[in-house]
DNA sequence: CGGCTCCTTGATCAAGGTCAAGACATGTGG
DNA sequence: CCACATGTCTTGACCTTGATCAAGGAGCCG
């Protein structure tokens, strides 16, 4: 389990919360946060937190991409979702005061801002607007998780892969050439879709053969989003 | 879509909130609730709410059992969880102000207490203790949903069935003869586990042959909970 | 009794998992 | 810069799991 922490903590980061839930903190809380926050930098494959451990606090993603996943008994991992700039992670376990039920691993080098459990819980207790927004956030995530359950239970591999490609497109956007702006291994994709790496490779080349996507190494280029949407059953 | 509503609404029900999240309401709110609540009785197979509709409010289960499920494109349904006495359902959609993402159907005749969206949202806004508890509740459900995703993605049919039997035991308890105190069709069980009815029947008779459970009609008798736990991989 | 619904079993089949081998790419140390 | 090692991708062959289809049985109720 690798863990890298940059020494230069608490340099001037996280000063802009405008696109995160922290924008709902009041002025006093924002000032407190400036003092209490602990920023750090993590490299690809670093593990920011690991399931089974006690949560020490929450993390706001300043920059970069992480995967949030759980590991099964046989070691296979299932990716639950991704976190990127502006996302708050780790609050579920802090709120419900349970051990962490998932791990967070860096996919693209990132900068995160740590807020200790105490400080965070006080923010929630003392600020009804913030707590309302946090309920909304957890309800939104709950809705997404429930949708995920349906997908896994009721959809075929092909349908799920099409849906994941759309999800990645929505989450990370496309560049000028219509490539999805994130680089994942085939194994990562398999671990989102919930299948074997080889199966993903076969399904991807099917989609390429049908001219719905194109493949350049690990990068995926979107050719026909509408047909993908149709396949995914949305 | 059947829907039965007893005429005798608002008879003396729901006076005891001691085992539900509504116990965190303050005295004023409890009084308001007495005026605002709308109680009703629903028979087996009634649909209390249906996915895709706008949510009008939340429901507290006074008595009985419901299944919370989603329907796939091909009509197959996936049960997400059950609700019983003391459970609050429908709040996710009310909070995030989206259409209902699941349906609720009666499995055992039940009495529910309806609280309109407006009244409920005011409860949340005005009472920080209540809102804190609601965050906890939704985080707890989020944790369970995430666990469900792993099960579906990483576990075999046999493992999942063992886990569901344990879940049913924990949720509904055992009677004096060790029968699980809920009656589900084989199809219902299949729709929790996420598989076909016939597959469930085969797996159930395997477990019976191994003397881990016994079957009397629809009723399931627990013979060896420890081995079931072992199989489920918990 | 006849008409439901639900359960059960057997036969067959397809989707996707697993294993093995090779290709390609990337990175590292000498 | 090369040689090597490592990680990832790809393909083919094969096999297992569980889905589907079909038919019959059991229980229940008007």
């Amino acid at each position: 389990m690798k863990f890298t922490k940059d020494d230069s903590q608490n340099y001037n980061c996280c000063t802009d919360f405008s696109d995160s839930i922290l924008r709902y903190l009041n002025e006093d809380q924002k000032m407190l946060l400036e003092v209490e926050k602990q920023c750090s930098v993590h490299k690809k494959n670093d593990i920011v937190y690991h399931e089974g451990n006690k949560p020490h606090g929450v993390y706001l993603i300043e920059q970069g991409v992480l995967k949030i996943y759980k590991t099964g008994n046989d070691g296979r991992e299932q990716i639950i979702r991704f976190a990127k700039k502006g996302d708050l992670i780790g609050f579920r376990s802090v709120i419900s005061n349970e051990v962490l039920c998932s791990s967070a691993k860096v996919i693209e080098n990132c900068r995160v801002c740590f807020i200790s459990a105490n400080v965070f819980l006080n923010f929630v207790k003392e600020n009804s607007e913030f707590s309302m927004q946090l309920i909304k956030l957890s309800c939104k995530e709950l809705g997404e998780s429930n949708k995920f359950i349906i997908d896994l239970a009721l959809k075929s591999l092909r349908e799920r892969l099409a849906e994941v490609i759309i999800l990645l497109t929505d989450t990370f956007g496309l560049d000028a050439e219509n490539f999805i702006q994130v680089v994942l291994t085939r194994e990562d994709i398999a671990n989102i879709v919930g299948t074997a790496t080889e199966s993903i490779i076969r399904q991807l080349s099917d989609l390429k053969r049908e001219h719905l996507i194109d493949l350049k190494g690990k990068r995926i280029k979107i050719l026909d989003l509408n047909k993908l949407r149709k396949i995914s059953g949305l």
Side-chain angles (χ1 to χ4, degrees), chain A:
Chain A
M1 192 187 321
K2 302 165 217 164
F3 192 92
T4 312
K5 222 168 192 177
D6 197 81
D7 283 338
S8 60
Q9 285 190 0
N10 278 331
Y11 58 93
N12 191 16
C13 89
C14 309
T15 47
D16 177 25
F17 302 124
S18 60
D19 58 355
S20 87
I21 193 174
L22 297 187
R23 70 179 176 278
Y24 295 104
L25 294 178
N26 60 40
E27 290 311 310
D28 286 354
Q29 293 177 323
K30 281 179 183 166
M31 280 173 61
L32 182 60
L33 180 59
E34 283 303 315
V35 182
E36 292 285 350
K37 74 183 187 189
Q38 294 167 38
C39 295
S40 58
V41 168
H42 299 268
K43 295 225 184 71
K44 189 173 164 70
N45 291 325
D46 279 0
I47 290 173
V48 174
Y49 59 76
H50 195 279
E51 59 196 302
N53 292 343
K54 257 187 65 181
H56 299 295
V58 302
Y59 302 83
L60 182 76
I61 314 304
E62 253 297 91
Q63 196 188 333
V65 177
L66 298 98
K67 59 179 172 184
I68 313 296
Y69 65 98
K70 287 169 87 110
T71 311
N73 299 323
D74 57 353
R76 250 183 68 203
E77 75 182 37
Q78 172 68 37
I79 295 177
I80 297 170
R81 62 195 190 85
F82 293 97
K84 63 181 210 293
K85 184 170 172 7
D87 288 341
L88 185 74
I89 61 175
F91 72 87
R92 202 209 63 81
S93 302
V94 168
I95 292 282
S96 53
N97 196 28
E98 298 167 340
V99 295
L100 287 155
C101 72
S102 56
S103 309
K105 195 177 201 172
V106 176
I107 285 190
E108 278 177 23
N109 292 351
C110 66
R111 208 163 70 219
V112 304
C113 176
F114 173 81
I115 308 171
S116 75
N118 269 343
V119 170
F120 181 75
L121 285 171
N122 275 327
F123 285 168
V124 180
K125 277 180 202 151
E126 292 167 2
N127 183 335
S128 67
E129 172 64 11
F130 182 63
S131 97
M132 189 67 191
Q133 294 298 331
L134 192 65
I135 298 184
K136 278 195 184 176
L137 179 58
S138 79
C139 283
K140 188 166 149 283
E141 287 188 15
L142 182 54
E144 283 162 6
S145 280
N146 285 343
K147 191 166 158 306
F148 204 165
I149 290 173
I150 305 309
D151 290 345
L152 282 171
L154 302 181
K155 288 187 179 176
S156 70
L157 184 48
R158 180 178 163 88
E159 290 171 312
R160 278 178 285 150
L161 175 57
E163 187 171 342
V164 163
I165 291 174
I166 291 165
L167 170 80
L168 292 175
T169 303
D170 291 345
T171 308
F172 299 105
L174 301 177
D175 67 12
E177 287 182 282
N178 266 11
F179 282 100
I180 298 175
Q181 296 194 75
V182 71
V183 174
L184 301 174
T185 64
R186 299 288 190 255
E187 193 183 355
D188 277 334
I189 299 176
N191 291 344
I192 318 169
V193 176
T195 187
T197 308
E198 296 94 324
S199 299
I200 284 297
I201 289 169
R202 281 183 244 271
Q203 292 288 339
L204 279 175
S205 43
D206 283 355
L207 294 179
K208 179 178 175 178
R209 206 170 307 124
E210 297 166 45
H211 302 291
L212 305 183
I213 60 172
D214 204 359
L215 300 170
K216 278 266 155 58
K218 290 196 180 62
R219 311 216 115 217
I220 299 172
K221 181 175 184 170
I222 304 293
L223 297 181
D224 193 333
L225 201 56
N226 280 334
K227 274 196 189 152
L228 286 171
R229 233 181 274 280
K230 214 168 185 177
I231 291 173
S232 78
L234 292 180

